[in-house]
């Protein structure tokens, strides 16, 4: 590949107060000393053929080699679509949770006049070397090119990552990308895709995947060759019927292969109040300034929590979460090789739910409502056999550092990330929203929680960094990992010194918040398995010959029996975002058989949410939530459910059957503005619990957003004491300082999204598309329920509020 060095091209400093020009060889700005960003981008589109290597396109993007651009002005926002995002781009956005393997959209490159106004799609985090000299700016190698030299556990690891990607890529219609050998690149142990290819009219199958893998068997390590041969044959013959089964089979192979691998983990933590805060709401495990190692310690566990609630209890929530999780994890038989990955992942999810319950209960016992409720973010690392498990809620982050790069492996649970996951906006564009950094979930703020649990196979030395946003804000980790964390892998710095140094950097270069750091240093010593393990793997592949392979693989009879805490939990564990919709079909069919018409309505509701991930609304409006404060049906007369709510007249009364979010406006702000930096989505006005009574004021129609009802809050349900019961779901979106403009206090920033409990007399809008499943029309009410509204009367055939 030809790499062009253009001495005339300069890099602009990303510092808005500097913007000095520097040469390509400079690592730091010659004027202000800020680290320079070298962002290499992969271009997708046939129009690239019109560009010449060495050409500076759009006065910004330097074409270094075939399809590889260097952004010479990385501090500026890239071009983004003003309105619709094409179907070819949406898979990248919806797969943002898999950005370790899937490149992400950076922006659009409009080509100069004379090229018919065409655009190129620019991808960041593509498999392009950014640091390794002399490979900088070059593509990473294809998997097939380095397959033969890889160890057996790494070969299995690469295939395991492909299996993990199969279902999410199939859901987005891009699974055929996993067949294209030129798209499958590797960075050490990490499999990375160069770009995504839309599937043709025929849906890719696991049989085709087996045929593709069969080409690798010839050069597989002898210890796993027989295992892979039988696996490929089973795939091609249709014996492996799901991605879950395929992952489970490869898990079995990895467990056998790891027996020839020795590992040691060393953990160190450090936390500090910081220069601008009076108290430390962060917490960590092990306790700050503590270093532990496994062995000899039985458990390798690191936790970082960032409390929400200011002096009202953020530190209480973070410490309570750590105490609860530590106690729960002590129950796990982590030294038992029969503790399979599925069981362990499920248990970690439920332990997070236990912590959520503890904090929520504390909030309820102390009658905390709205901004007074305390909560916490969570990021946790747990070592087990050949893997590290990362659990995450909120915007505290985890990074994976190897000798070849630093990868952010968690995705913030904030508004900006949610917009990208839904395919609504490019990430950098979404960051320009005023509420982009506001959280959509945190522990203790809601009865619904979706912890993300990821697994990482250890086949090389690496470091996992866990940190609060006091360090991660402003991309500070990306700037300092090479000088502060990479030396750990070379034995030049110990983890305790590095963790303290990172806290100092957070204090001096950010300084707006508490700073907490946890480092997990993993050392791996591997020798290729002998014949004995090879035979063991061949025997393990016998599970493919079972008449019920899925049951054999997914139900390990040797697995330890753990206490299922789910039945004791109040917290509702939202379905995994990676789970395909078709996995729920058997469950839905069972519901239909059991509930009849009710099940049919539920199926219709889910069908109306096509392409909408199950977690899409967990922050603001859990549609299936039910409040215990709902008014008794005896006090009202329901209107026929077949009545189209969009045709309700002025003065009609409605009652919420689940939690409802009202907006301030139905009009998109970008309709009146051509600036890509303007907020694109209507802000949230507030939340109403189930059992609230509303009255229709008028209707609004918007060409882009459809029909909306303008509603007035008549009353909200009351407890026996006359005080609205704390409803944690309304606080799920409790904002938190984001990466763009951290606010002085997290509790004060809660009003940024307006996520609050609406009061009687207030007004808001809701789309008629969503209202039918959220409210029930009613014809009469008790006076107390009518509250701030007037009793409707009929005038001239139209329902009108009664006037005094």
């Amino acid at each position: 590949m030809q790499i062009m060095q253009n001495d005339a091209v300069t890099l602009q400093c990303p510092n808005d107060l500097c913007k000095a020009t520097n040469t390509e060889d400079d690592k730091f700005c010659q004027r202000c000393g800020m680290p320079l960003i070298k962002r290499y981008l992969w271009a997708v589109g046939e129009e690239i053929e019109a560009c010449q290597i060495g050409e500076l396109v759009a006065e910004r993007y330097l074409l270094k080699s075939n399809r590889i651009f260097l952004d010479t002005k990385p501090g500026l926002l890239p071009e983004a679509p003003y309105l619709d995002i094409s179907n070819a781009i949406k898979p990248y956005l919806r797969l943002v949770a898999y950005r370790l393997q899937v490149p992400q959209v950076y922006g659009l490159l409009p080509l100069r006049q004379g090229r018919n106004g065409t655009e190129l799609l620019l991808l960041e985090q593509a498999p392009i070397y950014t640091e390794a000299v002399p490979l900088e700016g070059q593509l990473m190698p294809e998997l097939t090119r380095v397959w033969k030299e890889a160890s057996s556990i790494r070969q299995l690891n690469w295939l395991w990552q492909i299996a993990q990607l199969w279902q999410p890529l199939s859901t987005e219609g891009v699974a055929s990308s996993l067949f294209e050998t030129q798209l499958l690149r590797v960075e050490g142990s990490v499999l990375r895709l160069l770009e995504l290819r839309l599937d043709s009219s025929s849906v890719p199958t696991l049989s085709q995947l087996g045929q593709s893998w069969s080409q690798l068997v010839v050069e597989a390590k002898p210890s796993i060759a027989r295992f892979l041969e039988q696996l490929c044959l089973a795939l091609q013959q249709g014996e492996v019927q799901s991605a879950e089964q395929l992952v489970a089979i490869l898990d079995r192979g990895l467990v056998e292969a790891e027996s020839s691998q020795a590992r040691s983990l060393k953990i160190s933590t450090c936390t500090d109040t910081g220069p601008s805060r009076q108290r430390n709401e962060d917490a960590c495990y092990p306790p700050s300034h503590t270093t532990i190692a496994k062995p000899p310690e039985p458990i390798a566990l690191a936790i970082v929590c960032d409390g929400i609630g200011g002096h009202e209890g953020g530190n209480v929530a973070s410490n309570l979460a750590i105490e609860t999780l530590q106690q729960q994890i002590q129950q796990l038989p982590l030294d038992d090789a029969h503790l399979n990955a599925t069981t362990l992942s499920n248990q970690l999810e439920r332990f997070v739910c236990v912590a959520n319950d503890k904090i929520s209960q504390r909030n309820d016992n102390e009658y905390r409502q709205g901004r007074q409720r305390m909560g916490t973010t969570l990021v946790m690392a747990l070592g087990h056999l050949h893997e590290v498990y990362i659990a995450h809620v909120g915007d505290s982050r985890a990074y994976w550092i190897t000798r070849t790069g630093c990868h952010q492996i968690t995705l913030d649970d904030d508004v900006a990330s949610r917009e990208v996951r839904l395919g609504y906006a490019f990430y950098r564009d979404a960051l320009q929203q005023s509420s982009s950094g506001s959280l959509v979930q945190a522990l203790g703020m809601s009865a619904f929680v979706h912890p993300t649990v990821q697994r990482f196979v250890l086949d090389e030395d690496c470091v996992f960094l866990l940190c609060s946003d006091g360090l991660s804000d402003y991309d500070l980790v990306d700037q300092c990992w090479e000088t502060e964390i990479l030396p750990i892998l070379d034995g030049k710095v110990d983890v305790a010194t590095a963790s303290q140094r990172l806290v100092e950097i957070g204090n001096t270069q950010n300084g707006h918040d508490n700073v907490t750091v946890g480092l997990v240093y993993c050392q791996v010593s591997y020798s290729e398995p002998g014949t004995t393990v090879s035979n063991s793997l061949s025997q393990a592949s016998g599970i493919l010959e079972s008449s019920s392979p899925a049951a054999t693989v997914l139900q390990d009879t040797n697995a330890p029996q753990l206490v299922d805490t789910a039945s004791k939990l109040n917290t509702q564990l939202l379905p995994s975002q990676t789970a395909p919709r078709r996995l729920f079909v058997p469950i839905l069919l069972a519901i239909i058989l059991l509930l009849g018409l009710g099940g049919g309505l539920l199926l219709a509701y889910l069908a109306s949410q096509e392409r909408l991930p199950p977690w899409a609304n967990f922050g603001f409006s859990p549609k299936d939530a039910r409040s215990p404060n709902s008014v008794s049906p005896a006090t009202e007369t329901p209107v026929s459910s077949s009545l189209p709510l969009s045709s309700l007249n002025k003065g009609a009364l409605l009652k919420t059957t689940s939690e409802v979010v009202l907006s301030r406006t139905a009009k998109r702000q970008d309709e009146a503005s051509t600036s890509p930096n303007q907020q694109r989505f209507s802000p949230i006005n507030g939340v109403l619990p189930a059992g609230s009574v509303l009255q229709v004021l008028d209707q609004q129609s918007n060409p882009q957003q459809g029909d909306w009802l303008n509603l007035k809050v008549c009353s909200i349900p009351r407890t026996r004491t006359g005080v609205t019961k704390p409803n944690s779901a309304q606080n799920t979106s409790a904002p938190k300082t984001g990466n763009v403009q951290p606010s002085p206090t997290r509790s004060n920033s809660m009003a940024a999204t307006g996520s609050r409990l609406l009061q009687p007399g207030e007004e808001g809008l809701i789309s008629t598309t969503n209202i039918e499943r959220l409210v029930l029309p009613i014809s009469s009410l008790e006076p107390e329920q009518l509250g701030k509204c007037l009793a409707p009367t009929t005038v001239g055939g139209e329902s009108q509020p009664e006037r005094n």
Side-chain angles (χ1 to χ4, degrees):
M1 178 179 295
Q2 181 181 2
I3 300 295
M4 181 100 176
Q5 181 73 24
N6 192 333
D7 296 333
V9 174
T10 57
L11 287 177
Q12 186 181 87
C13 176
N15 185 351
D16 288 337
L17 301 177
C18 178
K19 294 188 177 180
T21 56
N22 300 268
T23 69
E24 282 191 67
D25 294 330
D26 291 330
K27 287 196 171 185
F28 299 90
C29 177
Q30 297 300 303
R31 178 186 295 174
C32 70
M34 185 173 185
L36 295 176
I37 301 173
K38 279 196 175 182
R39 187 170 287 124
Y40 291 96
L41 308 168
W42 179 253
V44 178
E46 297 300 327
E47 296 78 10
I48 187 67
E49 303 298 334
C51 300
Q52 301 295 321
I53 294 177
E55 178 183 358
L56 189 65
V57 183
E59 300 182 349
R60 175 174 180 176
Y61 299 102
L62 174 66
L63 185 60
K64 298 287 291 184
S65 60
N66 184 27
R67 293 188 177 272
I68 297 179
F69 282 97
L70 173 66
D71 187 359
T72 64
K73 298 179 181 179
L76 301 180
L77 283 176
E79 291 278 345
Y82 289 106
L83 294 175
D84 294 334
I85 295 176
S86 70
N87 292 331
I89 296 177
K90 285 183 178 180
Y92 291 99
L93 305 180
R94 291 172 175 158
L95 293 169
V96 64
Y98 300 90
R99 59 183 176 177
L100 180 63
Q101 285 95 11
V102 178
Q104 290 301 296
V105 175
Y106 181 67
L108 300 175
L109 173 55
L111 299 180
R112 65 172 179 256
Q113 294 181 356
R115 295 178 187 171
N116 301 321
T118 55
E119 295 175 325
L120 294 175
L121 177 64
L122 298 178
L123 302 178
E124 63 178 327
Q125 301 176 46
I128 302 172
Y129 288 112
T130 58
E131 303 290 344
V133 178
L135 298 177
E136 181 180 318
Q138 297 187 39
L139 287 175
M140 295 174 182
E142 294 181 14
L143 179 146
T144 53
R145 201 183 86 190
V146 297
W147 171 267
K148 183 178 181 180
E149 289 74 28
S151 64
S152 57
I153 194 169
R154 179 163 292 186
Q155 289 179 343
L156 288 173
N157 185 9
W158 285 334
L159 298 183
W160 179 81
Q161 292 176 64
I162 294 175
Q164 293 271 17
L165 289 171
W166 178 262
Q167 187 55 57
L169 265 63
S170 295
T171 301
E172 296 302 329
V174 290
S176 57
S177 307
L178 298 174
F179 301 153
E180 303 283 348
T181 57
Q182 70 272 23
L183 300 184
L184 297 176
R185 306 277 169 162
V186 293
E187 179 187 354
S189 61
V190 183
L191 176 93
R192 303 184 64 181
L193 285 168
L194 184 58
E195 62 182 75
L196 298 176
R197 300 277 176 84
L198 292 174
D199 298 338
S200 60
S201 55
S202 60
V203 179
T205 64
L206 287 174
S207 176
Q208 292 175 295
L209 184 64
Q211 184 177 358
S212 174
W213 283 5
S214 63
Q215 303 173 21
L216 300 173
V217 174
V218 178
E219 295 183 327
K221 291 298 180 184
S223 58
I224 62 171
R226 176 60 177 163
F227 172 76
L228 291 183
E229 182 181 355
Q230 292 189 4
L231 175 57
C232 292
L233 183 61
L235 283 167
Q236 293 179 69
Q237 294 179 349
E239 296 177 24
V240 180
Q241 300 173 3
S242 70
E244 290 77 13
Q245 183 184 350
L246 177 59
V247 170
I249 294 170
L250 289 168
D251 276 334
R252 184 73 64 87
L254 284 167
V255 169
E256 295 292 338
E258 70 88 22
S259 60
S260 299
Q261 179 174 279
R263 297 163 308 282
S264 65
L265 280 72
K266 188 174 291 185
I267 298 173
S268 182
T269 60
C270 186
T271 185
D272 189 78
T273 303
S276 62
R277 294 297 177 92
Q278 296 180 352
R279 65 187 57 82
N280 194 350
E281 298 177 40
D282 289 3
C284 58
Y285 179 85
S288 183
H289 299 287
T290 300
T291 301
I292 64 173
K294 179 186 180 181
E297 295 293 331
I299 295 178
L301 174 66
I303 308 175
V304 168
C305 288
D306 188 352
I308 302 171
H311 68 279
E312 297 291 341
N315 61 319
V316 175
S318 58
N319 281 283
L320 184 56
I322 285 179
E323 178 186 350
T324 303
L325 288 166
Q326 182 190 0
Q327 292 174 353
Q328 296 292 321
I329 290 173
Q330 293 290 340
Q331 305 175 19
L332 294 172
L334 293 174
D335 289 329
D336 191 334
H338 293 110
L339 177 59
N340 64 55
T342 301
T343 301
L344 181 52
S345 296
N346 291 339
Q347 288 299 317
L348 291 179
E349 288 183 348
R350 277 153 179 75
F351 293 163
V352 174
C353 289
V354 173
N356 189 62
D357 280 344
K358 293 277 189 181
I359 303 171
S360 296
Q361 186 63 48
R362 181 75 173 262
N363 279 323
D364 293 343
N365 291 343
E366 298 178 5
Y367 301 103
R368 294 176 179 266
Q369 300 183 51
R371 287 187 245 182
Q372 294 180 347
R373 290 183 72 86
M374 59 184 177
T376 184
T377 67
L378 163 73
V379 62
M380 175 174 66
L382 176 67
H384 173 58
L385 298 179
H386 59 285
E387 294 177 316
V388 166
Y389 290 69
I390 302 291
H392 170 257
V393 174
D395 67 350
S396 292
R397 292 181 179 178
Y399 294 82
W400 187 18
I401 295 94
T402 67
R403 285 188 170 85
T404 56
C406 174
H407 307 280
Q408 181 185 333
I409 55 177
T410 55
L411 184 66
D412 295 345
D413 288 324
D414 59 14
V415 171
S417 297
R418 185 188 63 177
E419 301 304 317
V420 178
R421 278 175 160 174
L422 294 174
Y424 291 164
F426 290 5
Y427 184 67
R428 282 178 172 77
D429 199 30
L431 284 177
Q432 306 312 306
Q433 299 182 32
S434 59
S435 60
S436 63
S438 300
L439 290 182
V440 295
Q441 73 165 347
L443 297 185
M445 309 302 286
S446 171
F448 293 80
V449 67
H450 171 60
T452 303
V453 177
Q454 302 177 76
R455 301 159 50 198
F456 297 89
V457 174
L458 302 177
D459 69 3
E460 63 178 325
D461 292 354
C462 60
V463 177
F464 289 91
L465 165 66
L466 316 181
C467 64
S468 62
D469 60 356
L471 176 65
S472 62
D473 275 349
Y474 301 107
D475 298 324
L476 193 52
V477 174
D478 296 322
Q479 299 173 28
C480 69
W481 73 271
E482 195 173 3
T483 57
E484 306 300 330
I485 302 177
L486 194 58
I488 297 175
L489 299 176
D490 297 326
K492 297 178 181 178
V493 177
D494 61 85
V495 290
T497 301
S499 62
Q500 295 174 30
R501 173 62 182 156
L502 288 170
V503 168
E504 293 174 3
I505 291 174
N507 284 335
T508 56
Q509 299 190 37
N510 278 341
H512 60 272
D513 203 352
N514 312 138
V515 182
T516 303
V517 168
L519 291 175
V520 182
Y521 174 30
C522 308
Q523 291 179 285
V524 178
S525 176
Y526 185 76
S527 59
E528 197 58 40
T531 306
T532 303
V533 177
S534 176
N535 291 337
S536 178
L537 284 175
S538 297
Q539 294 169 5
S541 65
I543 58 179
L544 300 172
E545 301 171 3
S546 169
S547 59
S548 180
T552 305
V553 175
L554 300 179
Q555 299 178 10
D556 192 340
T557 56
N558 294 322
Q561 299 301 310
L562 301 176
V563 177
D564 186 2
T565 59
S567 60
K568 305 176 184 179
L569 297 175
N570 294 320
T571 294
Q572 299 295 311
L573 183 63
L574 292 178
S576 170
Q577 65 196 48
T578 62
R581 188 175 300 276
R582 69 187 183 192
L583 290 179
F584 299 108
V585 171
I587 299 175
L588 292 178
L589 291 176
I591 292 175
I592 293 173
L593 293 174
L594 293 174
L595 302 181
L597 179 60
L601 293 175
L602 176 61
L603 183 61
Y605 161 64
L606 290 178
S608 70
Q609 299 299 300
E610 182 182 3
R611 289 285 188 189
L612 189 64
W615 43 261
N617 290 301
F618 68 83
F620 292 112
S621 179
K623 300 300 186 294
D624 55 350
R626 293 292 182 270
S627 170
N629 301 325
S630 299
V631 181
S632 171
T635 63
E636 64 213 31
T637 305
V639 177
S640 171
S641 60
S642 63
L643 178 66
L645 296 181
S646 58
S647 65
L648 285 175
N649 295 319
K650 181 178 179 180
L653 296 173
L654 308 173
K655 177 184 172 185
T656 61
T657 58
S658 62
E659 290 194 348
V660 172
V661 177
L662 298 185
S663 299
R664 292 193 183 97
T665 174
K667 184 177 181 179
R668 291 170 62 103
Q669 295 186 21
D670 60 355
E671 289 175 14
S673 172
T674 58
S675 172
N677 296 334
Q678 294 295 322
Q679 183 175 331
R680 292 176 179 270
F681 304 100
S682 58
I684 301 301
N685 188 23
V687 203
L688 287 171
S692 300
V693 177
L694 303 166
Q695 190 167 50
V696 179
L697 297 180
D698 55 51
Q699 298 185 23
Q700 297 185 15
S701 181
N702 184 290
Q704 300 257 348
Q705 298 284 348
D707 295 326
W708 290 67
L709 290 180
N710 187 16
L711 303 173
K712 181 178 181 179
V713 181
C714 303
S715 64
I716 56 178
R718 302 277 176 171
T719 63
R720 293 180 181 177
T721 61
V723 179
T724 303
K725 184 175 181 180
N727 193 336
S728 58
Q730 75 196 31
N731 302 306
T732 311
S733 56
K736 180 176 180 293
T737 299
N739 296 331
V740 183
Q741 295 177 342
S743 58
T745 62
R746 187 177 312 187
S747 58
N748 290 341
S749 70
M750 183 169 290
T753 59
S755 179
R756 58 189 178 85
L757 180 66
L758 288 172
Q759 298 300 316
E762 294 190 84
E763 300 176 8
L765 295 109
I766 187 170
S767 170
T768 56
T769 304
N770 301 322
I771 197 172
E772 294 194 23
R773 64 175 182 272
L774 301 177
V775 302
L776 179 70
I778 48 181
S779 59
S780 63
L781 287 172
E782 297 293 334
E784 179 182 354
Q785 293 176 279
L786 194 58
K788 295 288 184 179
C789 298
L790 300 176
T793 60
T794 302
V795 179
E798 180 177 336
S799 177
Q800 298 285 349
E802 184 178 298
R803 300 186 181 278
N804 295 329

